[in-house]
Amino acid sequence: MKEIAKAYTPQKYENSIYKKWEDSGVFTPEIDPNKKSFTISMPPPNATVTLHLGHATMLAIEDLMIRYKRMQGFSALWLPGTDHAAIATQNRVEKNLAEKGIDRHKLGRKKFLEEVGKFVEKSRDTIRKQIRKMGSSCDWSRERFTLDEGLTKAVREVFTRMYNDDLIYKGDRIVNWCPRCESTLADDEVEYKEKQEKLYWIKYGPFTLATTRPETKLGDTAVAVHPDDERYKDMVGKKYMIPGVLGEFEVIVVADKEVDPQFGSGAIKVTPAHSFTDFEIAERHNIPLKSVINEQGKMMDNCGKYAGMTTEECRKEIVKDMDKMGLIEKIEDFTHNLSVCYRCKTAVEPLVSKQWFIAVDKPVIQDGDKKISIKEKALKVVREGDIKIVPDRFNKTYSHWMENLHDWCISRQIWYGHQIPVWYCRDCNEEIVQTDDPESCRKCKSKNIKQDLDTLDTWFSSGLWTFSTLGWPKKTEDLKYFHPTAVMETGYDILFFWIARMIIMTTYALNEIPFETVYLHGLIRTRSGKKMSKSDPSTCIDPLEMIDKYGTDALRLSFLIGSTPGNDMRLYEEKIAGYRNFVNKIWNAARFSLMNIKEENLDEVFDPKRHINSRADKWILTKLQYLVKDVTKDIEKFRFSDAGTKIYNFTWSEYCDWYVELSKGQHLNPHVLVHVLKSVLRLLHPFVPFFTEVLWENLHEKKMLIEETWPEYDKSLVFVKEVEEMELLHQIISDIRKMRANYGVEPAKKIHAVIYAGKYKDFLEEKREPLTRMARLENLEIFDKGEKIEKAVCLFVGDLEIYLPLHELVDIEKEQKRLEKELENLVQFEKTLSSKLQNKKFVQNAPEDVVEKEKKRLKETRSGIKKIEEKLSEL
RNA sequence: GGGCGAUUAGCUCAGUUGGCUAGAGCAUCUGGUUUACACCCAGGGGGUCGUAGGUUCGAAUCCUACAUCGCCCACCA
């Protein structure tokens, strides 16, 4: 009665539907003590980025969970936000300024930060819009930014507490230094890249040794050998003068297990200030440090003629000079893992510097009657299952990483970020750490104080994300109601960067877990399995472009179906197009339903007592109950792909292919047609929110689908017998169609059929209409039994015999061959089954229902064999 | 060096505590103006489940080894 467009056009509806949801306030959950809360903190996209496939996946999965729980009656909070992403953002703005010929140092800290602020404001606005594009039902009224005032308070509070607990300390330690960013990097912010380099064998006093970095010779203070190395045994503990390009210098020989006697000559030069291993060796043996490389990656003033050169320039020069002095023995090619900055790929320069650290091994958290470290605590909550990781194999990865965690360097020498809340008194050197800006020195009252210039690692603040966004350190209602959060969903690539740090920071600050479950999705790859990279647009799919082309719903499905947690997934345009087709398919099923129902019936509530008319109705309703049960279970177990596939198959292969087709004849029952459609829309809504909502409106629903309830399994709508009968009908129709195709019967031609139906006679009589229509029969005769019919194709479905007297089309020889082939098949199968059932161990050990099933199948197979044999003997 | 994952139809992937003659989508082939949908319908072909052993009544699924690809961690000057 009502007609909707012939095809669904997402572009026409998506924006207005989103606005309708947002304006209605459904995204903002109430704090209702009678309801359970369900919270997801959205992993905040970096403030600099535009939406990429990683975000799109994350948003699709999280929105699915949130909508599902919301429909189930939970107070579902999905809290959105953005991360200031200190280094990444600063680099980006520096680059932008550089294009205009502006250098940040000339601009000065204050002005530079203003520039960053402007850029970030604009950029955040873009990402906000893009998050909306994905249909994300997040609570914008609670949106947060890691540099917000509230979050900054949280950062200072945690810093101060940790400082007072002696967890945060300042020390001279060797750190990863990026000379381009001019900042420290945490251990996991360093990447390794394989590179072809040279290995220089140099004459080194009484030694010959191999090095890739001859320029660090200027900072050498020792030579180390393996304690068991016979070659150098007598030299250990002695001091030697080594000839160098800047004259002789003294080294001491130490024995250390770290040295691999197999590599090179078995002796290494020790440069404690510029190598992690050497620093550790130096610490163990009390060897002095000598820094020769500065924070710009250039040789320091103590390097004579090399001062001011970059390490690379210096290497060239020093090799030249050493060669002149006859110090170079040989130069070999060498493949080497070069450490580079994860943000800008510049080679990392290890150097010694005064930095702030978090001590991860210091026992400070009360645990029963003893104290454990923040690291042990973070291990414990996962080990004991307080936090569950999906898929669980990542437990191992997590534990391994956490066990090997060293003190975390948290200070960064960049400007953008949370400035470290430490002030120094210039008059009395007092160090003041507190949450508010102090006016004067607490010790000498001098006003001559200055804040530490460094900022905090960006992961320090994002480590507080689940609770700082809910108002902590204030004891807010939000915090009480929504924390701990339910699920943290993110890519496995930031398990260490972020997940691990949230667990550390939250268990320390709140003595509470940040989330109950960690759900890790895989990375999106190209069709050939390569990483998509922005620098190569030919491999890269832009989610926004796909949304324009196929709609958000189709894009979302392409992330949700066909993927499993923790595994990478390949994405390509045909896949998205396929789900667009699915969306359109349901749209058209709805179109059909609407065309077949009176408007007044649309407003009626489905009542099984009055509205169920036929076996077909009972069949589809039963299948729907199974679907509801399965899908609910799958979503609860985070098997989103399975859930989606099941809805897909039900809708297309059962509802559309059979039930809608049946509706075109005597079985038309608009009530059930629409009821099942509506249930499917409910089930589908968390996956594909836009078009389900559009259809919902068209079905005269007053309430929005987003606010509707999730369907529940209803046992009273399960009809096992009717399902069996209907499936028999499907089988008969399919088999007749197959035979038609097999014999090349023109689709338009209607044929004659005779069925000996036994106990199903009455049932088939009732289904005469769909049977003749869907199998394209012109004359159907149904008997309970009868004589075999000659010159006819025969089919055996269970105990039924079907004859298609195709007369001139029947080629006896061909028919014989077909039957023989089928017989062969059945005989083979019979063999397998009977030997299985004769096996006593199988009958004894296998579960009863498995045995029963096999028995039933054996019976059917044997009856089929008998029938075909009879038929063949007549041919 | 240590760990993890993958290996199933031409392609992309499902396959839950072992239990239908191993499934889907795409592609392909044969047909098609059916009461919604060609973004569709009906039907077909296509797989020794990476290899070799083992456990079991029964293995794609569990165990062992190997192979290939990929990822993570550690790291050598």
Side-chain angles (χ1 to χ4, degrees), chain A residues 710-816:
Chain A
W710 183 253
E712 278 183 39
Y713 175 76
D714 182 349
K715 211 179 149 194
S716 74
L717 294 178
V718 172
F719 308 94
V720 178
K721 190 171 151 258
E722 283 81 355
V723 167
E724 215 173 281
E725 289 168 339
M726 287 307 291
E727 272 162 12
L728 180 71
L729 178 70
H730 296 167
Q731 185 72 49
I732 295 170
I733 294 171
S734 285
D735 283 359
I736 296 178
R737 282 171 175 171
K738 270 180 216 169
M739 281 310 127
R740 293 179 58 112
N742 201 351
Y743 277 90
V745 179
E746 281 169 44
K749 189 181 156 80
K750 294 191 174 173
I751 59 170
H752 179 206
V754 179
I755 302 180
Y756 300 147
K759 63 175 177 177
Y760 290 108
K761 180 170 177 274
D762 291 344
F763 167 65
L764 289 187
E765 201 54 68
E766 185 194 306
K767 297 293 168 225
R768 177 176 283 276
E769 184 278 321
L771 194 48
T772 47
R773 179 167 47 85
M774 293 170 79
R776 302 202 65 77
L777 306 175
E778 64 174 349
N779 184 11
L780 170 63
E781 295 177 83
I782 306 170
F783 305 101
D784 52 354
K785 57 185 172 187
E787 295 282 307
K788 301 240 160 354
I789 298 173
E790 294 198 16
K791 267 256 173 194
V793 174
C794 68
L795 289 162
F796 305 109
V797 180
D799 289 331
L800 273 69
E801 294 172 36
I802 303 166
Y803 293 92
L804 307 176
L806 294 173
H807 305 292
E808 70 282 1
L809 284 172
V810 180
D811 172 340
I812 301 277
E813 216 170 298
K814 188 178 168 191
E815 178 67 0
Q816 190 169 350

Side-chain angles (χ1 to χ4, degrees), chain A residues 795-848:
Chain A
L795 289 162
F796 305 109
V797 180
D799 289 331
L800 273 69
E801 294 172 36
I802 303 166
Y803 293 92
L804 307 176
L806 294 173
H807 305 292
E808 70 282 1
L809 284 172
V810 180
D811 172 340
I812 301 277
E813 216 170 298
K814 188 178 168 191
E815 178 67 0
Q816 190 169 350
K817 270 192 188 146
R818 180 181 72 81
L819 286 169
E820 274 166 2
K821 199 181 163 196
E822 201 179 331
L823 182 65
E824 197 185 319
N825 246 335
L826 287 176
V827 168
Q828 190 56 42
F829 191 41
E830 196 269 348
K831 248 187 191 164
T832 319
L833 284 174
S834 60
S835 73
K836 205 172 185 182
L837 282 161
Q838 271 161 25
N839 185 336
K840 278 190 188 129
K841 282 180 176 170
F842 170 72
V843 182
Q844 270 166 24
N845 295 328
E848 211 174 310

